[in-house]
Amino acid sequence: MNDLEMYREQLALCDDKIIDALLERNAIIEKIMAYKEEYGMAILQPAQEAKQERRWQERLRGSKYQEEILDVFERIVRNSKRIQARKLFSYNIVLIGFMGAGKTTISDYLSTMFDMKIVEMDQVIAEKEEMSIPDIFATYGEEYFRDLETKLLIEMQSQKNTVISCGGGAALREENVIEMKKNGRVVLLTASPETVHERVKDSDDRPVLGKNKSVERIAELMEKRREKYEAAADIVVQTDGKSILQICEELIKKLLEMDE
């Protein structure tokens, strides 16, 4: 055996060790998830993730391979998050609620913590139609837009581990709710009219409100929709006065309780 063949053999042995270590690591991830569930511990622990990252940085300080190895660890962590998501959610998470209730913010956070796909329905529809949502409303009317929502929800049934953030009116159509529930759990996010007003007052992309973004108008519309929202929801999470982490922990806890 010449030197090159010897090095290749050593490399193959290293690869075997890496595979064995990753198999062991992924099994440990599942054990940690089971432990958290058994003892009612918080699923999301960003402080622990930050601690792990600091440990890697310290361990690799001064290494000429630091950048490359940290890149590998970032990928390992993303895959660990996917394992957690698969264990927790064998379905899509469908976020509904009035505009400004926090659907986009919460979907972004869940995606970060679990490496889940995100589908922002309004954004996807606007891209497909090559028109803004207000322009679709103005050109074709609300019924046309609702038909597009229904079509997209049907397409999403083939997905798994996806966070679907619905427009404010999506759950008002019974057909849409039926499609949401075929492969998803429907989560209603709520907020007070005052909170919603604060979140949307500077937005020009709210065709249902038009130019009247007053607290009174928001409260009126929210009350009109409340019954249908609540009827569509599998769980309800109120978002006022809570951090994003608190909201997501409550959301996950309630989803897990549904499976008990």
Side-chain angles (χ1 to χ4, degrees), residues 44-223:
L44 301 176
Q45 296 186 343
Q48 177 61 28
E49 287 190 17
K51 180 180 177 181
Q52 284 179 300
E53 186 172 346
R54 288 195 299 271
R55 185 174 180 272
W56 304 332
Q57 295 278 1
E58 181 63 28
R59 177 71 174 79
L60 291 166
R61 185 167 296 155
S63 169
K64 65 180 179 179
Y65 306 119
Q66 178 177 357
E67 183 178 345
E68 291 80 7
I69 294 175
L70 287 177
D71 178 66
V72 170
F73 265 99
E74 287 176 7
R75 293 171 184 271
I76 289 172
V77 169
R78 285 204 299 273
N79 286 327
S80 296
K81 291 178 177 181
R82 290 173 191 159
I83 291 170
Q84 293 179 64
R86 286 201 305 268
K87 181 171 174 56
L88 290 171
F89 315 117
S90 59
Y91 47 80
N92 296 325
I93 298 175
V94 185
L95 303 180
I96 67 169
F98 200 75
M99 64 188 80
K103 299 185 294 294
T104 297
T105 301
I106 298 307
S107 64
D108 285 345
Y109 193 78
L110 287 173
S111 174
T112 299
M113 297 307 293
F114 291 113
D115 200 44
M116 298 174 76
K117 299 176 185 176
I118 299 179
V119 172
E120 284 279 355
M121 287 188 62
D122 283 356
Q123 180 180 333
V124 172
I125 290 172
E127 290 173 356
K128 285 186 174 183
E129 294 293 301
E130 298 182 342
M131 299 175 70
S132 69
I133 301 302
D135 285 346
I136 294 173
F137 268 70
T139 305
Y140 299 110
E142 183 173 356
E143 191 68 15
Y144 176 84
F145 177 75
R146 300 302 171 203
D147 288 340
L148 295 175
E149 287 181 320
T150 303
K151 181 180 178 182
L152 181 55
L153 286 167
I154 292 171
E155 292 175 7
M156 287 298 100
Q157 289 168 22
S158 63
Q159 302 286 330
K160 280 187 177 181
N161 298 126
T162 300
V163 184
I164 302 172
S165 179
C166 300
L172 303 180
R173 179 185 272 197
E174 185 176 352
E175 183 180 356
N176 284 353
V177 176
I178 292 171
E179 301 304 334
M180 291 174 190
K181 290 178 178 285
K182 286 182 178 177
N183 188 31
R185 298 280 172 81
V186 181
V187 179
L188 171 60
L189 300 180
T190 66
S192 69
E194 291 76 14
T195 297
V196 170
H197 175 262
E198 188 63 27
R199 292 172 179 171
V200 307
K201 64 183 181 180
D202 297 321
S203 173
D204 295 323
D205 196 23
R206 310 290 180 175
V208 173
L209 285 178
K211 294 182 179 180
N212 186 358
K213 297 188 182 73
S214 66
V215 173
E216 293 75 20
R217 173 61 175 160
I218 291 170
E220 177 188 354
L221 281 174
M222 289 179 72
E223 182 58 29

